[in-house]
Amino acid sequence: MRLFKLLVGCAAFVAIGSTAVGSALADTFALVNINQQALFFNQINEGAQKAADAAGAKLVIFNANNVPSAQNDAIETYITQKVDGIILVAIDVNGVKPAITAAKAAGIPVVAIDAQIPNGDNVSFIGVDNTKAGADIGKFYTDYVKSEMGGKAKIGIIGALNSFIQNQRLDGFKKAVTDSGEAITFLDTVDGQNVQETALSASENLMTANPDMTTLYATGEPALLGAVSAVTSQGRTGDVKVFGWDLTKQAVQGIDDGWVVAVVQQDPAGEGKAAVEALTKLKKGEKVDPIINIPVTIVTKKNVDQYRAMFK
């Protein structure tokens, strides 16, 4: 573990050093992200980078590669490096709390985006109310089942059980569906672990075990990619309708073809931008709101055209 922390520390040091040399007067903000596989997280990076460039600040980005402890180690390293602020997309929202508290004690503000930190010492949260948005897509789903499927459906779920926010999306969805009173049967919930290949395998196993399944709900981008790939590869596009989170090129094609019905689309670039802007305000001695909500959109055939340019 000491060797792992040393390697993480060195990686963070190199990242900071490569951008901060010769810019001693510029603010340096660190973005601790989950991975660089998902388009969603890369869009957070892009939005934050553009905002940093506009503010004349330096941004360093740490890729935790889905390892919760790596985020703690990175924050500790950035504290040692005395960055001016930290942006955190947390994997383990409880496990990372001591590192956030340490940053606060060192006078370094932490802005959490995407994942809320329960009773954490971060100065602000920027992102989506995931439980409410989960309920919103759940309500959309039940309305669809009622109007298009005769009020009956069997649903399988591809989640990421190590992700606090995706569990919130699942909880909100299930409550809305249950409260609807429609004849909807929940089948298995499988763990895609926020990794596309894992989600694909889990989705295929889910479909094989439940041949009578008529709908799928995926709680994040890797889960949705896995679900879309599984439905396609198993030739089930004619009898399984898919609902999920975070558009991809494959999901847009599924919407065009009619079997991906609705996808919750966030504004990850907007979240990254807002986080840098919040840290910039704090550095100037200004105040920021403790919660900054970024709205979501449920994308269907009716409004998908406005998102096509993202995937060209």
Side-chain angles (χ1 to χ4, degrees):
M1 180 58 72
R2 287 186 177 183
L3 176 59
F4 177 74
K5 287 189 175 183
L6 177 61
L7 291 173
V8 170
C10 289
F13 176 83
V14 170
I16 293 173
S18 65
T19 57
V21 172
S23 303
L25 298 179
D27 293 333
T28 298
F29 302 136
L31 169 53
V32 179
N33 214 328
I34 292 178
N35 66 51
Q36 291 182 346
Q37 179 192 48
L39 175 65
F40 180 86
F41 299 130
N42 286 321
Q43 288 174 330
I44 287 176
N45 295 347
E46 291 168 6
Q49 186 64 65
K50 287 181 180 179
D53 292 343
K58 298 297 179 182
L59 180 72
V60 293
I61 299 172
F62 181 84
N63 174 17
N65 200 26
N66 301 311
V67 179
S69 61
Q71 293 192 320
N72 296 60
D73 296 339
I75 292 172
E76 291 174 6
T77 299
Y78 288 132
I79 292 171
T80 302
Q81 293 292 332
K82 299 181 180 179
V83 298
D84 296 290
I86 296 172
I87 302 165
L88 171 64
V89 190
I91 301 171
D92 181 352
V93 295
N94 289 304
V96 79
K97 286 167 69 172
I100 297 173
T101 299
K104 179 183 179 181
I108 299 173
V110 176
V111 173
I113 62 177
D114 193 44
Q116 290 180 303
I117 312 298
N119 300 313
D121 283 323
N122 51 298
V123 295
S124 182
F125 165 72
I126 298 170
V128 171
D129 184 335
N130 285 282
T131 303
K132 180 181 181 301
D136 290 343
I137 187 66
K139 175 67 165 54
F140 184 98
Y141 168 80
T142 55
D143 287 345
Y144 180 88
V145 170
K146 183 176 181 179
S147 64
E148 304 297 329
M149 303 180 69
K152 296 181 180 180
K154 293 185 177 181
I155 184 166
I157 295 170
I158 303 97
L161 303 186
N162 62 337
S163 169
F164 179 80
I165 60 173
Q166 292 197 39
N167 287 332
Q168 286 183 312
R169 297 169 186 175
L170 176 55
D171 291 342
F173 179 87
K174 292 182 85 169
K175 185 176 188 305
V177 172
T178 301
D179 290 349
S180 73
E182 299 297 329
I184 296 169
T185 301
F186 283 96
L187 304 173
D188 296 335
T189 296
V190 296
D191 187 6
Q193 300 178 17
N194 226 16
V195 177
Q196 181 180 340
E197 293 78 10
T198 305
L200 170 57
S201 177
S203 299
E204 289 176 336
N205 292 338
L206 174 64
M207 294 176 67
T208 299
N210 298 279
D212 57 344
M213 183 172 62
T214 57
T215 55
L216 273 172
Y217 174 57
T219 60
E221 181 189 324
L224 183 58
L225 278 166
V228 167
S229 296
V231 172
T232 303
S233 65
Q234 295 199 8
R236 299 288 302 277
T237 59
D239 61 299
V240 175
K241 302 297 184 182
V242 176
F243 302 76
W245 284 71
D246 302 328
L247 281 175
T248 62
K249 183 177 181 179
Q250 297 89 331
V252 170
Q253 184 61 57
I255 290 174
D256 289 340
D257 293 341
W259 55 275
V260 175
V261 178
V263 176
V264 179
Q265 181 64 7
Q266 305 175 80
D267 182 10
E271 292 182 12
K273 176 177 181 289
V276 169
E277 291 174 345
L279 288 179
T280 301
K281 286 183 178 180
L282 290 168
K283 185 66 176 177
K284 293 177 180 178
E286 301 175 16
K287 292 184 179 181
V288 300
D289 292 332
I291 297 178
I292 301 172
N293 285 319
I294 306 296
V296 301
T297 302
I298 295 179
V299 180
T300 67
K301 269 195 172 183
K302 293 182 179 180
N303 59 353
V304 69
D305 285 347
Q306 62 187 285
Y307 296 95
R308 293 187 191 280
M310 294 171 55
F311 307 105
K312 291 183 178 179

